[in-house]
Amino acid sequence: MSRKGQLTPQRKAIYEIVMDSTDHPTAADIIERLNKRGHQFAYATTYNSLRYLTDEGLIRELKLDGDASRYDARTEDHQHIMCRVCGRVDEVFTTVPQEWALRVGEETGYQVEEEHILLKGVCPGCSSSH
């Protein structure tokens, strides 16, 4: 990404944490991982950097269940599934039928521009432990 070269050292370090993560980390997770890598950024710097990276389209902010946003390095269209037991979040790349979005638009009067669907269930790890 050409914009990556324009990042401040703090934004680049935060971007790399998100890119290296497969678990959709929260800001608190990112701060902890930064600390483990020897970075000591102010909370405001981390939050402002996450907002910048999101606004620039380099990462996605996910507002799922709970108060804390999670961050995703995959910016292409996809959905998410969340384990109701352990909170694990995984990506879902099955395409949402276009007819569904059209019907939602007809029902609500909205012009649907994008969708983000959160599915919930029990992950394989939690399923096998019961």
Side-chain angles (χ1 to χ4, degrees), residues 35-87:
N35 289 338
K36 286 181 180 174
R37 291 188 183 183
H39 300 290
Q40 297 292 321
F41 301 153
Y43 286 114
T45 299
T46 302
Y47 283 98
N48 290 337
S49 295
L50 287 167
R51 172 64 40 225
Y52 173 85
L53 294 168
T54 300
D55 290 346
E56 289 296 311
L58 296 171
I59 63 173
R60 288 176 69 181
E61 179 181 12
L62 305 176
K63 295 179 188 264
L64 306 175
D65 278 3
D67 297 331
S69 291
R70 291 174 174 253
Y71 295 90
D72 190 352
R74 300 196 72 164
T75 57
E76 69 272 23
D77 285 341
H78 64 282
Q79 312 310 320
H80 292 90
I81 189 164
M82 181 177 200
C83 179
R84 64 175 175 75
V85 178
C86 69

Side-chain angles (χ1 to χ4, degrees), residues 66-127:
D67 297 331
S69 291
R70 291 174 174 253
Y71 295 90
D72 190 352
R74 300 196 72 164
T75 57
E76 69 272 23
D77 285 341
H78 64 282
Q79 312 310 320
H80 292 90
I81 189 164
M82 181 177 200
C83 179
R84 64 175 175 75
V85 178
C86 69
R88 172 180 158 173
V89 177
D90 287 302
E91 274 115 355
V92 176
F93 290 97
T94 302
T95 304
V96 175
Q98 183 62 32
E99 179 188 329
W100 182 81
L102 292 172
R103 290 183 66 190
V104 168
E106 290 171 3
E107 179 182 323
T108 62
Y110 278 68
Q111 182 176 350
V112 178
E113 296 174 348
E114 64 181 82
E115 68 273 336
H116 183 238
I117 298 168
L118 174 63
L119 303 162
K120 295 180 186 176
V122 179
C123 74
C126 291
S127 291

